[in-house]
Amino acid sequence: GAQALNVEFSGPKGFRIYLQFVVSSRDPSVMEQPRNDSKNKLLVLVLGDMHIPHRANDLPQKFKGLLVPGKIQHVLCTGNLCSREVFDYLKTLASDVHVVRGDFDENTNWPEEKVVTIGQFKIGMIHGHQVVPWGDPLALANVRRRLDCDVLITGHTHKLRAYDHEGYFIINPGTCTGAYSTITPDAIPTFVLMDISGPRLTIYVYLMSEDGFRVERAEFTKTERS
């Protein structure tokens, strides 16, 4: 079986992991699960920190084999793609691709931060190198409040994190190539798939291991706010 991986996937009350299992590399496409049976459901791919070609040659082939064009409605990228080819690849997965600029991206057309609305969720995006200390929950909470969003997507640390803070959700999908960083020299390739259905957000976290994939699932429900 796959060995346990050293990742942080936890948080305060309001966030619960209720399914954890190992998927072998022989399993069908990630887009088969969750099943997008309802027209009200939206599948959103969240990934970033590729650093191609400087720190990685490409996304892992196992990941690319899972990501099927036409099944995902939106792509949210935390930046540091570092090449046009990576952006072109993301555009093959979904027509609606949103990118924020990382500290190694040369494309000045990408904004430093961005807010998009998908379904009932207002989602803020920032690469994260602007947030000091890097990855600090309180500093990220300040960014989320300033952007006035339900979910904040961030990156830069190359370490997966997904947690509830003050009744809002913060997600760092890590690095989908396993590129090293000064913060996380032994990074594990990871990405996140969000399944949005009404006020409910279910996230599937995919972590590559030697045997295949470890998948974790968690649910977050948006509450009515005065």
Side-chain angles (χ1 to χ4, degrees), residues 10-54:
S10 60
K13 63 181 181 179
F15 177 78
R16 60 191 177 93
I17 299 172
Y18 62 90
L19 178 64
Q20 177 178 319
F21 56 97
V22 173
V23 180
S24 77
S25 58
R26 295 187 299 275
D27 276 17
S29 158
V30 64
M31 296 305 118
E32 298 291 328
Q33 182 198 332
R35 296 188 182 277
N36 194 19
D37 295 330
S38 171
K39 292 182 179 180
N40 296 323
K41 285 189 175 184
L42 297 168
L43 293 182
V44 184
L45 177 64
V46 183
L47 76 177
D49 285 301
M50 295 82 160
H51 289 276
I52 296 172
H54 309 105

Side-chain angles (χ1 to χ4, degrees), residues 144-163:
R144 190 216 58 77
R145 282 191 290 269
R146 178 171 57 79
L147 297 179
D148 188 26
C149 53
D150 303 304
V151 179
L152 178 67
I153 305 294
T154 184
H156 188 62
T157 63
H158 294 215
K159 184 175 183 181
L160 170 71
R161 295 195 75 189
Y163 59 95

Side-chain angles (χ1 to χ4, degrees), residues 2-224:
Q3 297 181 348
L5 301 176
N6 182 24
V7 296
E8 190 167 352
F9 191 62
S10 60
K13 63 181 181 179
F15 177 78
R16 60 191 177 93
I17 299 172
Y18 62 90
L19 178 64
Q20 177 178 319
F21 56 97
V22 173
V23 180
S24 77
S25 58
R26 295 187 299 275
D27 276 17
S29 158
V30 64
M31 296 305 118
E32 298 291 328
Q33 182 198 332
R35 296 188 182 277
N36 194 19
D37 295 330
S38 171
K39 292 182 179 180
N40 296 323
K41 285 189 175 184
L42 297 168
L43 293 182
V44 184
L45 177 64
V46 183
L47 76 177
D49 285 301
M50 295 82 160
H51 289 276
I52 296 172
H54 309 105
R55 303 184 190 179
N57 293 324
D58 200 354
L59 272 72
Q61 287 303 312
K62 290 182 179 180
F63 277 3
K64 294 184 80 170
L66 291 173
L67 299 173
V68 179
K71 298 293 186 180
I72 301 167
Q73 284 74 50
H74 308 274
V75 176
L76 305 181
C77 180
T78 61
N80 276 352
L81 292 74
C82 300
S83 71
R84 173 74 192 190
E85 289 75 17
V86 178
F87 178 76
D88 291 342
Y89 167 69
L90 296 181
K91 290 289 288 185
T92 69
L93 301 178
S95 59
D96 189 46
V97 177
H98 300 275
V99 180
V100 286
R101 181 157 43 96
D103 49 335
F104 284 91
D105 284 320
E106 296 181 358
N107 189 334
T108 56
N109 292 323
W110 293 334
E112 290 264 330
E113 55 189 40
K114 189 172 189 177
V115 177
V116 298
T117 299
I118 300 177
Q120 296 184 20
F121 286 86
K122 190 176 178 183
I123 303 172
M125 301 171 60
I126 188 170
H127 176 67
H129 63 286
Q130 312 94 324
V131 181
V132 180
W134 291 336
D136 179 70
L138 294 180
L140 289 170
N142 288 334
V143 173
R144 190 216 58 77
R145 282 191 290 269
R146 178 171 57 79
L147 297 179
D148 188 26
C149 53
D150 303 304
V151 179
L152 178 67
I153 305 294
T154 184
H156 188 62
T157 63
H158 294 215
K159 184 175 183 181
L160 170 71
R161 295 195 75 189
Y163 59 95
D164 178 296
H165 186 269
E166 300 177 340
Y168 298 90
F169 211 30
I170 297 178
I171 301 173
N172 184 333
T175 164
C176 62
T177 61
Y180 72 89
S181 77
T182 55
I183 311 168
T184 313
D186 55 348
I188 298 165
T190 57
F191 70 86
V192 169
L193 183 70
M194 301 195 306
D195 184 354
I196 296 176
S197 180
R200 178 176 295 178
L201 169 65
T202 304
I203 71 168
Y204 297 79
V205 175
Y206 292 83
L207 310 97
M208 197 167 76
S209 68
E210 293 180 359
D211 305 19
F213 305 92
R214 172 179 168 185
V215 183
E216 292 185 353
R217 172 178 168 177
E219 186 177 278
F220 173 77
T221 301
K222 179 179 178 180
T223 58
E224 292 297 328

